[in-house]
Amino acid sequence: MEWETVIGLEVHVQLATKSKIFSGASTQFGAEPNTQACAIDLGFPGVLPVLNTETVTMAIKLGLGINADITQRSIFARKNYFYPDLPKGYQISQHEHPVVSKGFLDITLDDGSVKRIHITRAHLEEDAGKSLHEDFHGQSGIDLNRAGTPLLEIVSEPDIRSAKEAVAYLKTVHSLVRYLEISDGNMQEGSFRCDANVSVRRKGDSKLGTRTELKNINSFRFVERAIEFEVERQIALIESGGKVMQETLLYDPSKNETRTMRSKEEANDYRYFPDPDLLPLLITAEQIEAIRKQLPELPQQKRQRFTEQYGLSQYDATVMASNRATADFFETVVKESGNQPKLAANWVMGELSAALNKADQDITESPVTAKQLGQLVLRIADNTISGKIAKTIFEALWNQEGDVDHIIEKRGLKQVTDSSAIEALIDKIMAANPQQVMDYRAGKDKLFSFFVGQAMKESGGKVNPQQLNAILIEKLK
């Protein structure tokens, strides 16, 4: 039998506020354990939570970005469960009336097709603390710095049909929250992580299979591997006569396997009820419209503009618009290059991207500025230098040896475009290689690349390739 995979994702986005969702405690990453949890975060007797207004603004931005309904009267609830790193014994979250509901995102798949993923809801909640198991020799340490950190949980419909689709959706959400500047999206620091609900069913069956939940995965690669493993495990279990149990699983990337964490709870297990310390959240239509006017150009809009304004392919536009920093960098390169968008995109995706990956740096940390790269592209376009020489200049820019024109002048890298000089160079090479000239004229056309290579070697790569080819063809006749 052929099987169909059904996946729904719950994405937990840490909001980029300086203070927590219900207290003034800091959210800064990397502090000493238990130095950023105040009495409100710990639920001490007599304390009262106060909602951080900025978290509401950020939630509305996300809702507008996913074409969703904004709930004008939403409720905060207490989600009751015991866990060592949940100091109050409950989590303040939203249950029946989330701030964002019924939206969608369009994702682009590997084959270029577009698929719409529907989003059930996005609700505000506080994070729990963190249990640390590595350094305590058989014991666990509890760090409550994260307790009360503001989260926006984005819940998709079970519209995703493969691990690759899941990754495409996650990357789309990741790009969006960074464009909106509501989260830094740092997966290593836990600012962007997801739970994956996975089930399988026989193709053509309309009834959903029993799902398992893969908990707290914070890497695109691990999400793909975890889902693929879990799908294979469920299919093998069913085909051998077993039954999938509804449970929460942890993924171990070192062993590439899932293991049981606990049985999966239902909503009634949490005994949700409205938090008596928090009034209903009321949002006016005027507030929503004011926030809508603050929205930047979003990824999908930018991709479309890049194809229309710059003539980029869908692939190039997608890469250039993948995040706001890359898009801004690219547009500066285009401006400085005298409007050479395709060449600009090639250099951003090629030489620059390779150098940044090798140095493990983000584009915002690039030693080569967008203005410098634009000047380099301009000098290729106006035939001052060749593409090959440009790579040498790029390396000098990376090492911060000055601006483009200074490096060209200092190293004598200006391209040879004088036709008489190129003719003299070719005459010299042909005189030095009479046998190859005879063989070429006898029909060995592949020797043409030999003469091009000799000319480039003799000129130090500075001769204009188009002029060289044209003159060489005439000379070899």
Side-chain angles (χ1 to χ4, degrees), residues 56 77 83 121 173 193 215 228-229 235 240 249 307 336 340 379 436 441:
V56 179
Y83 215 66
R121 57 189 281 143
V173 176
R193 57 191 194 268
K215 198 75 176 169
E228 287 177 346
F229 176 86
I235 291 172
S240 64
L249 306 172
T307 57
E336 294 294 329
Q340 300 290 331
R379 291 293 170 253
Q436 284 83 353
R441 288 172 175 165

Side-chain angles (χ1 to χ4, degrees), residues 28-210:
Q28 186 175 356
F29 180 80
E32 287 294 311
N34 300 305
T35 59
Q36 294 182 173
C38 71
I40 295 173
D41 307 323
L42 302 178
F44 279 20
V47 300
L48 288 172
V50 179
L51 179 60
N52 184 334
T53 306
E54 190 62 23
T55 64
V56 179
T57 300
M58 291 180 175
I60 294 171
K61 284 183 178 180
L62 185 280
L64 295 173
I66 62 171
N67 314 285
D69 297 332
I70 309 299
T71 308
Q72 292 187 250
R73 186 181 188 276
S74 58
I75 304 293
F76 283 98
R78 290 188 179 181
K79 180 181 180 182
N80 298 273
Y81 63 97
F82 171 77
Y83 215 66
D85 55 21
L86 188 71
K88 297 197 290 278
Y90 63 86
Q91 177 190 29
I92 302 176
S93 182
Q94 293 184 313
H95 179 45
E96 292 181 340
H97 304 285
V99 67
V100 175
S101 61
K102 294 181 182 176
F104 65 85
L105 269 181
D106 291 331
I107 65 172
T108 303
L109 305 179
D110 289 345
D111 62 2
S113 62
V114 174
K115 179 172 182 177
R116 178 158 293 181
I117 306 298
H118 294 88
I119 294 171
T120 312
R121 57 189 281 143
H123 60 263
L124 287 165
E125 64 183 17
E126 61 179 345
D127 205 353
K130 188 176 182 180
S131 299
L132 307 171
H133 310 291
E134 293 83 8
D135 303 321
F136 297 94
H137 309 292
Q139 297 178 316
S140 292
I142 304 295
D143 179 8
L144 296 175
N145 279 349
R146 289 193 67 90
T149 296
L151 298 179
L152 189 60
E153 182 174 337
I154 305 164
V155 182
S156 83
E157 291 286 323
D159 292 344
I160 299 166
R161 292 293 175 266
S162 71
K164 288 191 180 300
E165 280 188 18
V167 172
Y169 169 76
L170 277 177
K171 287 183 175 179
T172 304
V173 176
H174 188 258
S175 174
L176 178 63
V177 300
R178 294 184 69 188
Y179 260 85
L180 293 170
E181 296 183 332
I182 64 172
S183 176
D184 62 18
N186 192 319
M187 302 181 85
Q188 291 75 24
E189 295 178 1
S191 298
F192 189 92
R193 57 191 194 268
C194 90
D195 301 339
N197 293 292
V198 181
S199 65
V200 297
R201 63 185 177 188
R202 287 183 170 85
K203 282 195 173 179
D205 194 344
S206 60
K207 185 180 178 182
L208 293 173
T210 303

Side-chain angles (χ1 to χ4, degrees), residues 286-300:
E286 290 75 19
Q287 286 175 305
I288 295 170
E289 286 310 306
I291 292 169
R292 190 191 302 275
K293 291 175 182 176
Q294 299 172 16
L295 294 182
E297 184 181 37
L298 297 180
Q300 193 167 359

Side-chain angles (χ1 to χ4, degrees), residues 228-274:
E228 287 177 346
F229 176 86
E230 181 58 17
V231 168
E232 290 179 9
R233 185 190 75 84
Q234 290 187 20
I235 291 172
L237 183 62
I238 295 169
E239 289 184 340
S240 64
K243 289 182 65 178
V244 176
M245 303 299 294
Q246 185 166 319
E247 57 186 345
T248 299
L249 306 172
L250 288 177
Y251 174 67
D252 185 340
S254 61
K255 297 180 180 178
N256 190 32
E257 64 180 24
T258 57
R259 63 174 184 270
T260 300
M261 181 181 177
R262 59 178 180 263
S263 61
K264 175 62 181 169
E265 303 89 345
E266 299 290 352
N268 57 10
D269 294 325
Y270 292 118
R271 296 182 294 111
Y272 282 99
F273 63 86

Side-chain angles (χ1 to χ4, degrees), residues 402-470:
D403 63 29
V404 173
D405 289 338
H406 171 76
I407 295 166
I408 292 172
E409 191 66 34
K410 182 181 176 182
R411 295 196 180 188
L413 297 174
K414 193 170 182 180
Q415 190 166 235
V416 177
T417 56
D418 183 338
S419 297
S420 59
I422 297 173
E423 286 186 21
L425 175 66
I426 293 172
D427 289 340
K428 179 181 176 183
I429 291 167
M430 290 174 65
N433 299 278
Q435 185 60 50
Q436 284 83 353
V437 173
M438 289 174 61
D439 290 344
Y440 176 84
R441 288 172 175 165
K444 293 185 178 179
D445 294 343
K446 290 183 179 180
L447 281 169
F448 187 81
S449 59
F450 165 79
F451 291 106
V452 171
Q454 291 296 307
M456 285 296 180
K457 183 179 178 182
E458 185 73 24
S459 68
K462 291 187 286 186
V463 66
N464 181 284
Q466 290 78 20
Q467 286 180 276
L468 172 65
N469 286 353

